[in-house]
Amino acid sequence: VNVAIVGVGLVGSEFIAQVIATQSKKIAVVAVANSRQFLTSPTPLTASWKTDLASASKAFTLDAFTASLAASKATNPTVVLDCTSNENVAAYYPTWLEAGFHVVTPNKKAFSGDLSLYKKIKEIANGAPGAPLVYHESTVGAGLPVINTLNDLVNTGDKITKIEGIFSGTLSYIFNNFSTLDASAEPVQFSKVVSVAKDLGYTEPDPRDDLNGMDVARKVIILGRVAGLDLTQETVNVENIVPESLRSLSSEEFMKKLPEFDSHFEKLNKEAIQNGQVLRYVGLVDPIHGKSSVTLARYPASHPFASLKGSDNIIAFTTERFPSPLIIQGSGAGAAVTAFGIYSDILKIAERTQ
């Protein structure tokens, strides 16, 4: 398949590097675009693609990029890979699909935003013979096989009773270090853990973008929709753990004042630990009771979520066939694993369109 990439930052660049390193015979990257310009090529791009793109003369617009792909009249199927987190690009998917292009993306916007956009995408990519394909494995858990597994459960007629998970590597790291039943672990203040996570590059530039729960909510919405629920941001109850008085400050002021709330988080943690539990920030898809949520919850030592280490993600699917949950765990963030998820998706399209 031919691949045309919109967005060549960390993840887009890493994907190209993996394709070049593996000398894939099934994938040819023939177009790349950043927000300023784009480059199309009749032959697969090589390791010099960054230099070539920098000297490209075509100004980037979605329309111009798409017209250029259509004009190339490629004999192989074309996959448009969106590596941005841009809403305007996500809104363009129906146009690409109607033009006969397939779409692969780690961009969560189309699958967690406007429900009518999501339904339009599903209507075009409807699984009929010859219909365009859409894969978005990397929107939840980076390269972990989360959406693929959920699709398999749904498509084989299993009944989902609950999907529960620690979907944020950032919040996994913060609470795995802050709230532990390991007696040998040094007690640590919440603000200190957040500060260390920020310094390590685990958090967004403004850690409130992680702590407010919206990123986890998007992942809950995506999984809920794949499971057949019409979830929206209005129907998911999200617990924002940023103290209210710190929500409107600058990022610097927020970090400066967060230690004033260490006692609040310490109290929550002590209450949990006294009951043999730990705190974990968890997303829940609840098809049975219709109460999907994102909350700071408590789990006993025996629960898989309690023994999580580092910044791993963990997702548990409870279904009719798997009353004891099917669990997926591993690294759920980072350019290498996200690019791996994308690469896997594109290979699936290559196999399905042969």
Side-chain angles (χ1 to χ4, degrees):
V1 294
N2 290 337
V3 179
I5 307 175
V6 181
V8 283
L10 272 179
V11 171
S13 300
E14 173 64 23
F15 167 72
I16 296 172
Q18 289 183 12
V19 170
I20 290 171
T22 54
Q23 298 180 328
S24 175
K25 298 279 188 287
K26 293 183 176 176
I27 295 175
V29 178
V30 296
V32 286
N34 57 29
S35 57
R36 297 175 302 281
Q37 66 246 68
F38 72 93
L39 169 72
T40 54
S41 167
T43 55
L45 296 175
T46 62
S48 66
W49 68 268
K50 283 186 183 175
T51 316
D52 300 339
L53 176 60
S55 57
S57 57
K58 296 174 184 168
F60 175 77
T61 66
L62 287 164
D63 288 345
F65 184 69
T66 307
S68 180
L69 296 180
S72 70
K73 296 197 168 26
T75 49
N76 293 328
T78 297
V79 176
V80 180
L81 169 57
D82 170 21
C83 286
T84 73
S85 57
N86 187 293
E87 284 186 40
N88 294 331
V89 178
Y92 208 85
Y93 296 176
T95 306
W96 284 329
L97 295 169
E98 282 166 347
F101 303 142
H102 308 289
V103 172
V104 169
T105 185
N107 183 352
K108 293 185 270 293
K109 300 289 165 55
F111 309 97
S112 62
D114 181 17
L115 189 59
S116 62
L117 171 62
Y118 177 77
K119 291 196 164 180
K120 189 168 188 189
I121 290 166
K122 295 298 285 181
E123 195 182 300
I124 306 167
N126 56 19
L133 302 169
V134 175
Y135 280 86
H136 57 102
E137 183 62 80
S138 294
T139 55
V140 180
L144 297 178
V146 177
I147 290 175
N148 191 34
T149 301
L150 179 54
N151 270 321
D152 285 348
L153 293 168
V154 171
N155 293 338
T156 57
D158 201 354
K159 188 180 175 195
I160 311 292
T161 51
K162 184 168 70 169
I163 305 168
E164 198 176 18
I166 295 172
F167 297 106
S168 161
T170 307
L171 292 163
S172 176
Y173 176 85
I174 288 171
F175 284 102
N176 293 344
N177 284 280
F178 175 66
S179 186
T180 173
L181 292 166
D182 180 355
S184 65
E186 283 284 315
V188 60
Q189 292 177 318
F190 185 75
S191 61
K192 177 68 179 163
V193 182
V194 173
S195 180
V196 170
K198 186 174 190 289
D199 291 344
L200 289 171
Y202 285 150
T203 73
E204 293 293 326
D206 184 340
R208 288 172 296 186
D209 291 338
D210 296 296
L211 298 169
N212 67 15
M214 287 316 298
D215 179 61
V216 177
R218 284 190 178 279
K219 293 169 186 174
V220 166
I221 291 166
I222 291 167
L223 293 179
R225 289 179 180 178
V226 173
L229 307 175
D230 283 350
L231 293 187
T232 64
Q233 293 189 18
E234 291 70 42
T235 58
V236 175
N237 180 38
V238 181
E239 182 180 352
N240 180 348
I241 59 172
V242 178
E244 207 155 329
S245 62
L246 304 186
R247 291 178 191 174
S248 57
L249 303 177
S250 68
S251 179
E252 291 74 22
E253 281 295 303
F254 163 72
M255 290 304 294
K256 206 189 289 182
K257 289 191 179 290
L258 185 58
E260 293 172 18
F261 291 86
D262 281 338
S263 58
H264 160 71
F265 289 103
E266 190 180 339
K267 180 170 176 279
L268 294 176
N269 195 29
K270 270 189 175 156
E271 284 168 3
I273 285 168
Q274 280 162 4
N275 287 292
Q277 298 170 315
V278 293
L279 298 173
R280 295 292 181 261
Y281 196 72
V282 172
L284 169 71
V285 178
D286 180 11
I288 304 299
H289 307 103
K291 293 191 173 163
S292 298
S293 63
V294 177
T295 54
L296 186 59
R298 289 163 31 162
Y299 290 88
S302 58
H303 196 282
F305 291 6
S307 55
L308 207 57
K309 297 276 187 285
S311 59
D312 274 5
N313 282 190
I314 184 167
I315 297 93
F317 296 100
T318 307
T319 74
E320 210 165 64
R321 294 183 194 137
F322 290 91
S324 176
L326 186 165
I327 290 176
I328 296 168
Q329 179 183 339
S331 180
V337 286
T338 304
F340 153 73
I342 289 164
Y343 200 156
S344 304
D345 277 351
I346 293 174
L347 285 175
K348 288 185 180 80
I349 291 176
E351 284 156 13
R352 286 183 65 178
T353 55
Q354 270 177 350

